[in-house]
Amino acid sequence: GIHADFVAALTEQARNTTTGLPHEDVAYGPLNNANQLAQVSGMVDRLPDHARIETGGARQGEAGYFYQPTVLSGLHQTDEQIQTEIFGPVITVQRFTDEAEALRDLARFGEMMRNGGEWNGQQIIPRAVIDDIRKGGDRDAFAKAGYATLPGWSYRDMWWVSHNEHG
């Protein structure tokens, strides 16, 4: 089905992701420090029994703070790995029962971003992350990509940024 195909494709992509030092031709480098490596490792080590490591899930090499690109599946919305940002090369996959459930969750996430990363009065996404996204990217480079229906927009940190009162 769609879920299995998606997990397989994502897993293959993670397996082919290169990591290394910044001067090498890689997708990403090491984690910031030993504490962050321990944080990421701990989140993966504490997976509930119903979850699964599709690929990765361990430190990469002996030197530095490298962590393997990791795909976690089978997680539930209430699991720690979903509720807490892992801040590492770890992606989680959750099932949804129908399109309405998926769209409802996406809408909630969008609303949280629109509200500065807050949900029900609690700061879920750090304000610094929201501010960084809202800066937007290079508008000239974005315009050259040919998005005629999005004049003045840009793209940053996986978000489309309108640079107007709507974000």
Side-chain angles (χ1 to χ4, degrees):
I2 294 172
H3 177 77
D5 291 346
F6 179 79
V7 170
L10 192 58
T11 299
E12 183 64 22
Q13 181 71 33
R15 284 187 182 130
N16 292 323
T17 299
T18 56
T19 62
L21 297 173
H23 66 277
E24 299 171 339
D25 185 25
V26 298
Y28 71 90
L31 296 172
N32 190 40
N33 55 49
N35 288 337
Q36 187 59 31
L37 178 61
Q39 165 75 11
V40 172
S41 297
M43 291 291 273
V44 174
D45 292 346
R46 291 189 302 275
L47 276 184
D49 291 339
H50 57 263
R52 175 183 162 145
I53 300 172
E54 299 290 339
T55 191
R59 182 178 184 161
Q60 182 173 314
E62 298 297 319
Y65 307 119
F66 294 94
Y67 198 82
Q68 298 170 343
T70 301
V71 177
L72 306 177
S73 66
L75 290 161
H76 299 163
Q77 186 61 34
T78 56
D79 291 332
E80 175 188 21
Q81 293 76 11
I82 299 297
Q83 294 297 315
T84 304
E85 176 64 53
I86 297 175
F87 289 111
V90 178
I91 191 165
T92 61
V93 181
Q94 294 174 266
R95 284 187 176 272
F96 54 88
T97 55
D98 58 25
E99 289 177 4
E101 181 184 22
L103 293 172
R104 186 173 45 251
D105 285 349
L106 285 172
R108 288 177 179 151
F109 191 78
E111 182 67 5
M112 178 178 60
M113 292 298 289
R114 194 182 69 75
N115 288 321
E118 290 185 19
W119 189 259
N120 292 331
Q122 182 181 359
Q123 190 73 40
I124 305 296
I125 299 175
R127 188 68 208 188
V129 171
I130 300 297
D131 292 343
D132 184 62
I133 291 168
R134 287 184 174 170
K135 283 182 201 172
D138 184 334
R139 292 184 199 190
D140 292 333
F142 186 85
K144 289 176 187 173
Y147 295 103
T149 59
L150 302 173
W153 286 49
S154 69
Y155 190 80
R156 184 177 184 90
D157 298 331
M158 299 177 60
W159 286 91
W160 300 81
V161 182
S162 64
H163 301 283
N164 62 26
E165 68 275 7
H166 303 296

